[in-house]
Amino acid sequence: GAGVSQSPRYKVAKRGQDVALRCDPISGHVSLFWYQQALGQGPEFLTYFQNEAQLDKSGLPSDRFFAERPEGSVSTLKIQRTQQEDSAVYLCASSLASSSGGYTFGSGTRLTVV
Amino acid sequence: GQNIDQPTEMTATEGAIVQINCTYQTSGFNGLFWYQQHAGEAPTFLSYNVLDGLEEKGRFSSFLSRSKGYSYLLLKELQMKDSASYLCAVRPVGKLQFGAGTQVVVTP
């Protein structure tokens, strides 16, 4: 597609519920990134894929967070047993492998855990 | 680890110039980026510096000094639509690390 597409745009989850957030990157973009952004803060790195390989998951805050990109295109970020502190905007970005032009971000999924 | 510092907020009047400074300490360096983010929207790419010096792109310019771990974003001829958060980001290897952002408020 023309841009990075994320769904759902908004998600309200009850504490303890599992959620799955989807990212559809720009066609042909090899690299895909997930970020978490709290209100008034900059995006915080979660994890990074190159094609289907997860090269860096050092930013995932706990083992309740899991990301996959099985065919090297669409990616899913799953959060198990959601907690209130998981409430944030989850941003996905993609780029060409050797891009110097920055990453293209999706509009994000705003997750609210109640 | 990474440490990226930028001012929290800046206010300027329409038509003026504003300079947003960013200092960083990172283990490894492979480029510095500036993004603009309006409230509730995705960050959008503004500029990229990997070598020392000034990069100019229309009303926006970005400067980098790698030896000083310092960059700035210069916004000229400010317009009301420039009111947004401006994010400084450094790429050590692979991933971008972001600062907390500078909220720029443009007043009439």
Side-chain angles (χ1 to χ4, degrees), chain B residues 2-4 6 11 20-21 30 33-34 38 42 45 57 60-62 67 69 76 81 86 91 93 97 102 105 107-108:
Chain B
Q2 274 70 235
N3 191 26
I4 302 169
Q6 51 182 127
T11 301
I20 306 169
N21 296 324
N30 191 27
F33 297 76
W34 284 95
H38 286 99
F45 170 77
K57 191 184 289 187
F60 295 171
S61 303
S62 58
S67 62
K76 295 178 278 190
K81 67 178 182 180
Y86 291 83
R91 181 167 62 190
V93 177
Q97 298 283 0
T102 298
V105 178
T107 59

Coordinates of all heavy atoms in Angstrom, one line a residue, chain B residues 2-4 6 11 20-21 30 33-34 38 42 45 57 60-62 67 69 76 81 86 91 93 97 102 105 107-108:
Chain B
Q2 N 21.9 4.9 25.7 CA 21.6 6.1 24.9 C 21.0 7.2 25.8 O 20.2 6.9 26.7 CB 20.6 5.8 23.8 CG 21.2 5.2 22.5 CD 21.8 3.8 22.6 OE1 22.9 3.6 22.4 NE2 20.9 2.9 23.1
N3 N 21.4 8.4 25.5 CA 20.8 9.5 26.2 C 20.6 10.7 25.2 O 21.6 11.1 24.6 CB 21.8 10.0 27.4 CG 21.1 11.0 28.3 OD1 19.9 11.0 28.4 ND2 21.9 11.8 28.9
I4 N 19.4 11.1 25.0 CA 19.1 12.1 24.0 C 18.3 13.2 24.7 O 17.2 12.9 25.3 CB 18.3 11.5 22.9 CG1 19.0 10.4 22.2 CG2 17.9 12.6 21.9 CD1 18.2 9.5 21.2
Q6 N 16.6 17.1 24.7 CA 16.1 18.2 24.0 C 15.1 19.0 24.9 O 14.6 18.4 25.8 CB 15.4 17.8 22.7 CG 14.4 16.7 22.8 CD 13.8 16.3 21.4 OE1 13.8 15.1 21.1 NE2 13.3 17.3 20.7
T11 N 8.2 28.4 22.6 CA 7.2 29.2 22.1 C 7.8 30.3 21.2 O 8.8 30.9 21.5 CB 6.3 29.9 23.2 OG1 5.8 28.9 24.0 CG2 5.2 30.7 22.6
I20 N 15.7 24.3 17.6 CA 15.6 23.3 18.7 C 16.9 22.5 18.7 O 17.3 21.9 17.8 CB 14.4 22.3 18.3 CG1 13.1 23.1 18.0 CG2 14.2 21.3 19.4 CD1 12.1 22.2 17.3
N21 N 17.5 22.5 19.9 CA 18.7 21.8 20.1 C 18.5 20.4 20.6 O 17.6 20.1 21.3 CB 19.6 22.6 21.1 CG 20.0 24.0 20.6 OD1 20.3 24.2 19.4 ND2 20.0 24.9 21.5
N30 N 24.9 6.1 13.6 CA 24.6 5.8 12.2 C 23.6 6.8 11.6 O 22.7 6.4 10.9 CB 24.3 4.4 12.0 CG 24.3 4.0 10.5 OD1 25.0 4.5 9.7 ND2 23.5 3.0 10.2
F33 N 18.1 11.9 13.1 CA 16.9 12.2 12.4 C 16.1 13.2 13.2 O 16.1 13.2 14.4 CB 16.0 10.9 12.2 CG 16.6 9.8 11.4 CD1 17.7 9.0 11.9 CD2 16.2 9.6 10.1 CE1 18.2 8.0 11.1 CE2 16.7 8.6 9.3 CZ 17.8 7.8 9.9
W34 N 15.3 14.0 12.4 CA 14.3 14.8 13.1 C 12.9 14.5 12.5 O 12.8 14.3 11.3 CB 14.6 16.3 12.8 CG 15.7 16.9 13.6 CD1 17.0 17.0 13.3 CD2 15.6 17.4 15.0 NE1 17.7 17.6 14.3 CE2 16.9 17.8 15.3 CE3 14.5 17.6 15.8 CZ2 17.1 18.4 16.6 CZ3 14.8 18.1 17.1 CH2 16.1 18.5 17.4
H38 N 2.3 15.9 15.0 CA 1.1 16.6 15.5 C 0.4 15.7 16.5 O 0.4 14.5 16.4 CB 0.2 17.0 14.3 CG 0.8 18.1 13.5 ND1 1.5 18.0 12.4 CD2 0.8 19.5 13.8 CE1 1.8 19.2 11.9 NE2 1.4 20.1 12.7
A42 N 0.9 10.3 13.5 CA 2.1 9.6 13.4 C 3.3 10.6 13.2 O 3.1 11.7 12.7 CB 2.1 8.6 12.2
F45 N 8.7 12.2 8.9 CA 10.2 12.4 8.7 C 10.4 13.9 8.2 O 9.7 14.4 7.3 CB 10.7 11.4 7.7 CG 12.1 11.7 7.2 CD1 13.2 11.4 8.0 CD2 12.3 12.3 5.9 CE1 14.5 11.7 7.5 CE2 13.6 12.5 5.5 CZ 14.7 12.3 6.3
K57 N 16.3 22.1 3.8 CA 15.2 21.6 3.0 C 14.0 22.6 3.2 O 13.2 22.5 4.2 CB 14.8 20.2 3.5 CG 13.8 19.4 2.7 CD 13.4 18.1 3.3 CE 14.6 17.1 3.3 NZ 14.1 15.7 3.7
F60 N 12.9 24.3 6.6 CA 13.6 23.5 7.7 C 15.0 23.2 7.4 O 15.4 22.9 6.2 CB 12.8 22.2 7.9 CG 11.4 22.3 8.4 CD1 10.6 21.2 8.5 CD2 10.9 23.5 8.8 CE1 9.3 21.3 9.0 CE2 9.6 23.6 9.3 CZ 8.8 22.5 9.4
S61 N 15.9 23.4 8.4 CA 17.3 23.0 8.2 C 17.7 22.2 9.4 O 17.2 22.5 10.5 CB 18.2 24.3 8.1 OG 17.8 25.1 7.1
S62 N 18.7 21.3 9.2 CA 19.2 20.6 10.4 C 20.7 20.5 10.3 O 21.3 20.4 9.2 CB 18.6 19.1 10.4 OG 18.9 18.5 9.2
S67 N 31.3 15.3 16.7 CA 32.3 15.4 17.7 C 31.7 15.9 19.0 O 32.1 15.6 20.1 CB 33.5 16.2 17.3 OG 33.1 17.5 17.0
G69 N 28.4 15.7 19.7 CA 27.1 15.0 20.0 C 26.0 16.0 20.0 O 25.1 16.0 20.9
K76 N 12.2 28.1 10.0 CA 12.2 29.5 9.6 C 10.8 29.9 9.1 O 10.0 29.0 8.8 CB 13.2 29.8 8.5 CG 14.6 29.6 8.9 CD 15.6 29.8 7.7 CE 15.7 28.6 6.9 NZ 16.8 28.6 5.9
K81 N 0.7 26.1 11.5 CA 0.6 24.7 11.3 C 1.9 24.0 11.8 O 2.0 22.8 11.9 CB 0.4 24.3 9.8 CG 1.6 24.7 8.9 CD 1.3 24.3 7.5 CE 2.5 24.6 6.6 NZ 2.2 24.2 5.1
Y86 N 8.5 18.1 18.1 CA 9.6 17.8 17.2 C 10.5 16.8 17.9 O 11.0 17.1 19.0 CB 10.3 19.1 16.8 CG 9.5 19.9 15.9 CD1 8.5 20.8 16.4 CD2 9.6 19.8 14.5 CE1 7.7 21.5 15.6 CE2 8.7 20.5 13.7 CZ 7.8 21.3 14.2 OH 6.9 22.0 13.4
R91 N 20.3 6.9 15.4 CA 20.3 5.5 15.0 C 21.7 5.0 15.4 O 22.6 5.2 14.6 CB 20.0 5.3 13.6 CG 20.0 3.9 13.1 CD 19.4 3.7 11.7 NE 20.1 4.4 10.7 CZ 19.7 4.6 9.5 NH1 18.5 4.1 9.1 NH2 20.4 5.3 8.6
V93 N 22.6 1.5 15.8 CA 22.6 0.4 14.8 C 21.2 -0.1 14.6 O 20.5 -0.5 15.6 CB 23.5 -0.8 15.3 CG1 23.4 -1.9 14.3 CG2 24.9 -0.4 15.5
Q97 N 16.5 5.6 18.2 CA 16.3 5.9 19.6 C 15.8 7.4 19.7 O 16.5 8.3 19.2 CB 17.5 5.8 20.5 CG 18.1 4.3 20.5 CD 17.3 3.4 21.4 OE1 16.3 3.8 22.1 NE2 17.7 2.1 21.5
T102 N 10.2 18.0 21.6 CA 10.1 19.4 22.0 C 8.8 19.9 21.4 O 8.6 19.9 20.2 CB 11.3 20.3 21.4 OG1 12.5 19.8 22.0 CG2 11.1 21.7 21.7
V105 N 5.1 25.8 20.2 CA 3.9 26.5 20.2 C 4.1 27.8 19.4 O 4.9 28.6 19.7 CB 3.4 26.8 21.6 CG1 2.1 27.6 21.5 CG2 3.2 25.5 22.4
T107 N 2.5 31.2 18.1 CA 1.4 32.2 18.5 C 1.3 33.2 17.4 O 2.2 33.5 16.7 CB 1.8 32.8 19.8 OG1 3.0 33.5 19.7 CG2 1.9 31.8 21.0
P108 N 0.1 33.7 17.3 CA -0.2 34.7 16.2 C 0.6 36.0 16.5 O 0.9 36.4 17.6 CB -1.7 35.0 16.3 CG -2.3 33.9 17.1 CD -1.2 33.4 18.0

